[in-house]
Amino acid sequence: MSDWLKAGKIAAEAREYAQEICKEGKSYTYVVDTVEDFIIKKGGFPAFPMDISVNEVAAHYCPYIVDTKVLEKGDVVKLDIGVHVNGAVADNACTVELGTNEWKELITASNDACLAACEIAIPDCPIRNIGRVIQETITEAGFTPITNLSGHGVAEWKVHTSPTIPNYDNKNETKLVEGQHIAIEPFATDGSGTVKEGKPCGVYAFLEKKPVRLPNARKLLTKIEKDYSTLPFTERWLKDFPNAKFLLNLLEKSEAIKQYTILPEKTGGMVSQYENTVEIGTGITTKT
Ligand code: MN
Ligand code: MN
């Protein structure tokens, strides 16, 4: 089995497992720590810090080292999980509603859109067709796709690369190519269909080696470059590093690293998401 298929299988297992442990009363930190440990036990490594985004937050909520948030009844939770095996990346996500059944149709809409898109993602399929089938499926269910979030190519040691895989018909006639890896990730909402940039989310990526004066900041930057390279990381993974938060702030100010932001729906609409990674010509890698 290729590393791509291994990563996909582990990601799919982790997604199943995440759904089992994502329960009312559990802390966000418990869920992400436990799923990330599961990934490592299975022989993979998190390709990015697991996201646990609730209700109107579409993406990129990642607990800090100290995070008091607890899952509540009625929460609509997006579990977004990335795995890499020797740099081969698989990215997948699902949505669960805790203890209620208010948003079943919204959740089904993004799942149906994701599966319909994965089905047509074969060699020579124009990229715009993927977006069109996502848009149609979500609109027919009575909801709106989020158009300023999109799927993407994945490559060795890269979670996000070209091409952009739109959640609407973006008129891109470029055709999918056999052997290419893409992540397809429709978001459905009852809101406006766009996200805005929220607060910083505590997830970072290395930008470039910059001269920083503080020896500990230099040490941390070296570790980041070595351990994560081009893949995103979070302060939660740096618990053993004294004063990680302070040093990350310094490195961010020096533009050696950048920080991502939480992405809430602009009008506070409820959001669901599904995601699979597909190997063009072979099919979905993220299935058990
Ligand atoms: Mn994802
Ligand atoms: Mn993705």
Side-chain angles (χ1 to χ4, degrees), residues 256-267:
I257 61 174
K258 67 168 175 183
Q259 186 172 186
Y260 295 92
T261 56
I262 297 170
L263 300 170
E265 211 283 329
K266 214 172 189 169
T267 54

Side-chain angles (χ1 to χ4, degrees), residues 48 80-81 91-93 150-154 159-160 183-185 187 273 275-277:
F48 54 83
D80 196 336
I81 300 163
D91 184 5
N92 71 2
S150 48
H152 46 89
V154 297
V159 179
H160 288 116
I184 294 175
E185 52 178 313
F187 292 80
Q273 174 208 16
E275 179 174 23
N276 279 311
T277 296

Side-chain angles (χ1 to χ4, degrees), residues 24 46 60 82 84 90 126 130 139 146 180 182 185-186 193 203 224 226 265 285:
E24 237 180 285
H60 287 185
H84 82 81
I130 305 275
T139 308
I146 295 184
Q180 191 178 17
I182 59 167
E185 52 178 313
V203 174
I224 287 166
K226 181 175 146 280
E265 211 283 329
T285 68

